[in-house]
Amino acid sequence: MKAAPRKTADLSAQIAQAIRDAIVSGELIVDARLPSEAELSDQFQVSRPTVREALKRLAAQSLIRTQRGASGGAFVNRLSFEDAYSQQVTTSTLLLSMNAVSFDTACEARYALERACAPLSAQRRTADQLATMRAEIFRQSQPGLTDEAFCASDVTFHRALVDGAENPVLSYQLAGAVEAMQPLMNMITFTARSREEIITLHTRIADALEAQDAETVDSALIDLEHYTRQLAQDVVESKRKPA
Amino acid sequence: MKAAPRKTADLSAQIAQAIRDAIVSGELIVDARLPSEAELSDQFQVSRPTVREALKRLAAQSLIRTQRGASGGAFVNRLSFEDAYSQQVTTSTLLLSMNAVSFDTACEARYALERACAPLSAQRRTADQLATMRAEIFRQSQPGLTDEAFCASDVTFHRALVDGAENPVLSYQLAGAVEAMQPLMNMITFTARSREEIITLHTRIADALEAQDAETVDSALIDLEHYTRQLAQDVVESKRKPA
DNA sequence: AGTTTTTATTTGTCTGACATTTAAAAGTCT
DNA sequence: AGACTTTTAAATGTCAGACAAATAAAAACT
């Protein structure tokens, strides 16, 4: 019978895992309809609230969707890149904020990954993506822009760079790395001078991408990484020695 | 407090979002205790089962943990890298299997990201990580190894390479890209000849990492990517023209 | 003081019910 | 027959109340 269950987890967690396994293994395919809550209660020998808790767990991961009414029920959801993006961003953001990840570590990861996209972006970037980048550079040059808006624009710029690789898997993986940095970047106060420097580098990147010059993009990204880390360093030091 | 009902979503989803926002915004910090289910029912003016469904949604994302008994309750969870890994892997795997992502696209993303780690790994890899890689290479050379076991060993090898960068953020981001490839790799039948080729390249990578020779690691990874894509290509063609 | 017992609190689960949504079946009129 | 309306059945969403089980703190008892 029950051969020593390692950890007596909640029933709802067990059931959720069983269904999750069925989905991952392909036993339940996309758009397949799960048995009704009443049927699942029977199958798993638990009450309907317990089944519902299990289903909500899966819904939270976008693995299923539910529909009311006759011929309604729970259906295996096609996990979209969009859904995965937002989960990835939420998870990455919390991961950084909760684990005291240093600015340098996060920054290193982000730029390493971004540089991985650069050669592909140089090859494939569309006119649309270039236009987005130019628009963001322009926005960044507007005086009176708050630091937060500047950071948000920075994220949009870099996402356009990443999307330029025209590889949805890369875009998905990078979404977390790029967006999760934003809260960390928001700690920095950008002077007019430092904004100017960043805009110069952004322009260099956009120009190089337009010219399909992968090497210049790479070197500009390296410079940008160093400059960003320097800025963060200055913030730390100015806090230690408040002028 | 009272979140305006944006769109007619489930109450449990609304409540989950409200709490999630409180966590992400820092209003609820790590290890903070949420109000009891009864209190939440009062605050949100819903029944306890509905509150519970909301909490299970959050538990599914590892945002909270629950404890029974007096002075128990739901606590904000410190999202660990480990938790995030496994979620990342599950999501990435499903994303690839459900969206008809081509082998080439996934492969390109994976090797682009892995190459981003290579220079850092060459600098920082520990003796332990090198040993892991050597051990996996040895395992891969064992005759009688199933294709699945070969792939699993391949994943372990590459994860050691990624971990060599000694950057937890990178390891986390890469976990999805590397592991999610495994089901796709499993479609390939590895001949003795192709295994030999892969092992040669793995050895080249391990040697170069030991010698801290980033450039050779990079070129070996490029070769490995090309070879892997060639193998996949052959599988496709042999299916079109069954011998 | 140290140990045991009690108690209160909180989550986990169950039963049963009603509300709401929705598609299909049944009915009605032209 | 065909188009429209009404009814019905099935399913999820929500609620109320209850009991079980775990657990820590308080109380009682050596």
Side-chain angles (χ1 to χ4, degrees):
Chain A
M1 303 275 276
K2 275 186 183 177
R6 296 163 197 172
K7 284 181 185 177
T8 40
D10 293 7
L11 287 179
S12 70
Q14 287 177 40
I15 293 168
Q17 191 56 49
I19 298 175
R20 193 174 5 249
D21 287 346
I23 294 175
V24 173
S25 75
E27 190 180 329
L28 286 169
I29 60 171
V30 168
D31 291 336
R33 180 179 174 281
L34 274 68
S36 72
E37 294 174 355
E39 288 172 309
L40 288 171
S41 313
D42 265 8
Q43 284 183 29
F44 288 103
Q45 290 282 306
V46 297
S47 67
R48 195 158 83 91
T50 302
V51 166
R52 282 182 62 79
E53 286 177 10
L55 293 180
K56 294 314 167 198
R57 294 178 116 107
L58 299 174
Q61 298 178 302
S62 307
L63 293 188
I64 62 169
R65 61 178 185 280
T66 53
Q67 216 169 7
R68 293 224 276 202
S71 77
F75 299 84
V76 178
N77 202 26
R78 158 161 278 127
L79 189 60
S80 68
F81 277 94
E82 209 173 333
D83 287 338
Y85 278 163
S86 57
Q87 282 182 218
Q88 169 81 12
V89 171
T90 304
T91 304
S92 300
T93 304
L94 283 170
L95 202 51
L96 293 197
S97 74
M98 284 180 173
N99 286 281
V101 173
S102 74
F103 188 88
D104 272 5
T105 302
C107 208
E108 175 179 279
R110 169 182 160 169
Y111 279 98
L113 297 176
E114 232 175 285
R115 283 171 55 205
C117 296
L120 297 170
S121 282
Q123 269 179 52
R124 305 178 188 162
R125 84 290 176 286
T126 64
D128 202 57
Q129 285 145 2
L130 277 175
T132 299
M133 298 172 78
R134 300 287 187 196
E136 294 303 328
I137 291 176
F138 177 73
R139 177 173 306 167
Q140 289 156 20
S141 70
Q142 296 297 96
L145 199 69
T146 64
D147 279 352
E148 237 178 66
F150 185 80
C151 285
S153 171
D154 185 75
V155 166
T156 307
F157 176 88
H158 285 276
R159 286 204 55 161
L161 189 161
V162 168
D163 290 340
E166 291 288 316
N167 184 318
V169 179
L170 268 181
S171 292
Y172 156 66
Q173 299 283 356
L174 271 282
V178 173
E179 302 229 9
M181 281 290 295
Q182 195 167 3
L184 297 179
M185 296 280 288
N186 277 335
M187 299 187 323
I188 300 177
T189 307
F190 293 95
T191 63
R193 178 72 194 78
S194 58
R195 286 193 191 188
E196 198 184 308
E197 181 73 28
I198 290 171
I199 289 169
T200 301
L201 286 167
H202 281 177
T203 305
R204 207 166 112 207
I205 290 170
D207 287 348
L209 280 175
E210 187 156 14
Q212 304 198 301
D213 175 359
E215 279 181 33
T216 303
V217 175
D218 193 65
S219 78
L221 282 171
I222 291 174
D223 290 350
L224 191 51
E225 179 183 352
H226 290 162
Y227 189 68
T228 306
R229 286 166 84 161
Q230 187 57 53
L231 281 180
Q233 194 74 28
D234 293 347
V235 170
V236 171
E237 276 171 15
S238 74
K239 268 185 185 165
R240 197 168 302 172
K241 278 187 185 179
Chain B
M1 295 297 189
K2 261 195 178 179
R6 305 165 193 171
K7 288 179 185 179
T8 43
D10 292 7
L11 287 178
S12 69
Q14 287 177 41
I15 293 168
Q17 190 57 49
I19 298 175
R20 188 168 15 244
D21 287 346
I23 295 174
V24 173
S25 75
E27 191 180 330
L28 286 169
I29 61 172
V30 168
D31 291 335
R33 181 179 174 283
L34 274 65
S36 73
E37 295 175 356
E39 287 171 308
L40 288 172
S41 312
D42 265 8
Q43 283 183 28
F44 288 102
Q45 289 285 304
V46 296
S47 67
R48 195 158 84 91
T50 302
V51 166
R52 280 182 63 77
E53 286 177 11
L55 294 179
K56 293 315 165 197
R57 293 178 117 107
L58 299 173
Q61 298 179 302
S62 306
L63 293 188
I64 62 169
R65 60 178 186 280
T66 54
Q67 215 170 5
R68 292 224 275 205
S71 78
F75 299 84
V76 177
N77 202 24
R78 159 160 278 126
L79 188 59
S80 69
F81 276 96
E82 210 174 333
D83 288 338
Y85 278 163
S86 56
Q87 283 183 218
Q88 171 82 10
V89 170
T90 305
T91 303
S92 300
T93 304
L94 284 170
L95 202 51
L96 293 197
S97 73
M98 286 181 172
N99 287 281
V101 174
S102 74
F103 188 89
D104 272 5
T105 302
C107 209
E108 176 179 281
R110 171 183 159 169
Y111 279 99
L113 297 176
E114 230 174 285
R115 283 172 55 205
C117 297
L120 298 170
S121 283
Q123 271 180 50
R124 305 177 189 163
R125 85 289 176 285
T126 64
D128 201 57
Q129 285 145 0
L130 277 176
T132 300
M133 297 173 79
R134 302 285 187 199
E136 294 304 327
I137 290 175
F138 176 73
R139 177 174 305 167
Q140 288 156 21
S141 71
Q142 295 297 97
L145 197 69
T146 64
D147 279 352
E148 238 179 63
F150 184 80
C151 285
S153 170
D154 184 74
V155 167
T156 306
F157 176 88
H158 285 276
R159 285 203 54 162
L161 188 162
V162 169
D163 290 340
E166 291 287 317
N167 182 318
V169 180
L170 266 181
S171 291
Y172 156 67
Q173 298 284 357
L174 270 284
V178 173
E179 302 231 9
M181 281 291 293
Q182 196 168 359
L184 296 179
M185 298 280 288
N186 277 334
M187 302 187 322
I188 299 176
T189 309
F190 294 95
T191 63
R193 177 72 193 79
S194 59
R195 285 192 191 187
E196 196 184 307
E197 181 74 27
I198 289 171
I199 289 168
T200 302
L201 286 167
H202 281 176
T203 306
R204 208 166 109 208
I205 290 171
D207 288 348
L209 280 176
E210 187 155 14
Q212 304 196 303
D213 174 0
E215 277 180 36
T216 303
V217 175
D218 193 64
S219 78
L221 281 172
I222 291 175
D223 290 350
L224 192 51
E225 178 183 352
H226 289 161
Y227 189 69
T228 306
R229 287 165 84 161
Q230 187 59 52
L231 282 179
Q233 194 74 27
D234 293 347
V235 170
V236 171
E237 276 171 17
S238 73
K239 269 188 184 164
R240 198 169 300 173
K241 278 186 183 181

